[in-house]
Amino acid sequence: MKQSSVIVIFVLSLTLSGCGSTETGPDRTIVTGKVTFKGEPVLQGQIWFLPQAGREAPQAGAPIVEGQYRVENKGGVPIGSCQVKITAEQPKADIKIVEDGGPEEIPTTQYLPARYNEQTELTAEIKSSADPIEIDFELKP
């Protein structure tokens, strides 16, 4: 009987101490902002903050909806220098939308220049902040 009490206390102490399972990661900050292209809001797309080469940190991203984004998952974007990748797609111009018999998935095309996504030239320096920081991107053709 005494032995089972010792086992219960041991298991409880491991559970309460967390067994070293607390995850630690880089400090993060919530980042919000606007994304425009040719002066107009990007209606839908994705934004990704990727750690600069040589930095070990996870990437962070969020959807762009009506020109606005908010990266807050897991606390936001890791502090430090990041490359920024922005994608936005629109239906292909030659697709006709009809009520019946149209395609199940509407083919889309990336309309932002590659210098904002696949060959991104965008960067951002993410600084530590208790409040969300705002970074806007005004993209040009």
Side-chain angles (χ1 to χ4, degrees):
M1 191 69 136
K2 216 174 202 190
Q3 186 179 11
S4 62
S5 296
V6 170
I7 291 173
V8 169
I9 291 171
F10 178 71
V11 170
L12 280 175
S13 68
L14 286 178
T15 304
L16 293 175
S17 70
C19 260
S21 66
T22 6
E23 287 186 38
T24 58
D27 290 337
R28 295 173 180 250
T29 295
I30 295 173
V31 179
T32 66
K34 298 176 185 143
V35 181
T36 59
F37 181 62
K38 298 181 185 176
E40 298 293 321
V42 171
L43 295 180
Q44 62 182 10
Q46 283 286 130
I47 186 165
W48 290 98
F49 291 83
L50 310 160
Q52 289 279 23
R55 246 183 90 218
E56 289 208 27
Q59 62 184 12
I64 300 167
V65 179
E66 296 182 15
Q68 307 268 338
Y69 73 91
R70 181 178 178 91
V71 184
E72 62 186 347
N73 190 27
K74 296 186 179 180
V77 179
I79 306 301
S81 298
C82 294
Q83 281 189 307
V84 180
K85 180 178 177 179
I86 300 173
T87 59
E89 295 187 350
Q90 62 188 10
K92 286 189 175 180
D94 59 348
I95 297 298
K96 227 181 196 182
I97 309 296
V98 292
E99 288 216 17
D100 304 340
E104 286 185 26
E105 278 191 41
I106 298 171
T108 60
T109 184
Q110 171 63 246
Y111 69 90
L112 297 178
R115 70 178 181 271
Y116 300 129
N117 42 70
E118 295 308 313
Q119 299 165 6
T120 189
E121 300 169 356
L122 300 173
T123 61
E125 186 66 33
I126 308 303
K127 303 203 185 273
S128 182
S129 174
D131 297 320
I133 60 172
E134 187 168 330
I135 303 175
D136 295 337
F137 294 94
E138 296 178 19
L139 310 179
K140 305 206 182 308

